[in-house]
Amino acid sequence: QTVNKIDIVLLFDEQEVCDNASQIDLVVNKLKELHNLGYGLALATSDKTLLLDSKINIEFDYFVVKAVNIKTKERMNSITHSYYSIIASLQRYNKPIIVTDIPTRHYVDIIIQSGINLVSSDTNGPTSEMVMPVSEKRMKELNDIAIAASRRV
């Protein structure tokens, strides 16, 4: 099978955009220019709340929510609440949300059960610059979780 088109997606860090976004209309126009050149746009955040104006956020095609490596259960419960808060804020844009760097399999399951089916975690397979296969057993487990979550909606 041949690939006729490869989409390039530019990933922007929310804090960096925020630090340089004093003129909202200028930022929106630059993002629109990138869209017109054929680039996809993604915004990565690891904050509990959105930092950017909604006029800027709406220009992105994807949102990437970066988890942090939490060591204690108490802090993980707190951060889980933060994930729900940021995810709820992003869902109003009706764009794909990808949650990355989820520290444990248990929290991968929780994120999938919350309706997010684009997740990245070392618990699914080791981090690699190469595209690596996920074990058949783990794919079945993730698929079962996603099916169960879709039935709850």
Side-chain angles (χ1 to χ4, degrees):
Q1 203 170 354
T2 61
V3 177
N4 295 329
K5 180 182 175 188
I6 297 176
D7 293 325
I8 297 175
V9 177
L10 304 176
L11 179 64
F12 293 85
D13 180 85
E14 184 184 35
Q15 185 62 57
E16 287 183 20
V17 175
C18 187
D19 291 346
N20 296 291
S22 59
Q23 297 177 328
I24 293 171
D25 291 337
L26 179 64
V27 173
V28 168
N29 288 336
K30 290 295 180 185
L31 293 172
K32 286 182 179 186
E33 284 178 27
L34 291 169
H35 264 136
N36 290 337
L37 291 171
Y39 294 107
L41 304 174
L43 181 68
T45 184
S46 56
D47 290 312
K48 295 177 185 177
T49 58
L50 295 176
L51 303 174
L52 297 171
D53 188 280
S54 62
K55 291 178 188 175
I56 295 174
N57 288 335
I58 202 162
E59 295 301 321
F60 290 96
D61 303 304
Y62 307 92
F63 295 104
V64 179
V65 178
K66 296 180 186 177
V68 291
N69 197 5
I70 303 300
K71 301 287 185 202
T72 67
K73 183 176 181 179
E74 179 181 306
R75 288 198 60 213
M76 193 62 215
N77 288 338
S78 168
I79 206 73
T80 300
H81 178 71
S82 297
Y83 286 138
Y84 288 128
S85 175
I86 191 73
I87 287 168
S89 297
L90 292 172
Q91 285 176 326
R92 69 185 171 136
Y93 296 104
N94 294 316
K95 308 282 178 81
I97 300 170
I98 305 161
V99 180
T100 66
D101 306 320
I102 305 168
T104 68
R105 183 173 158 189
H106 173 70
Y107 289 102
V108 169
D109 296 347
I110 288 172
I111 295 297
I112 290 172
Q113 289 171 1
S114 75
I116 303 299
N117 59 5
L118 301 171
V119 297
S120 173
S121 173
D122 283 348
T123 62
N124 295 333
T127 300
S128 173
E129 293 179 9
M130 303 293 291
V131 177
M132 303 297 288
V134 176
S135 77
E136 190 173 320
K137 177 181 176 186
R138 186 62 182 143
M139 283 301 293
K140 183 180 179 340
E141 290 170 352
L142 292 171
N143 190 45
D144 291 346
I145 293 166
I147 289 169
S150 70
R151 288 183 184 145
R152 283 189 217 115
V153 175

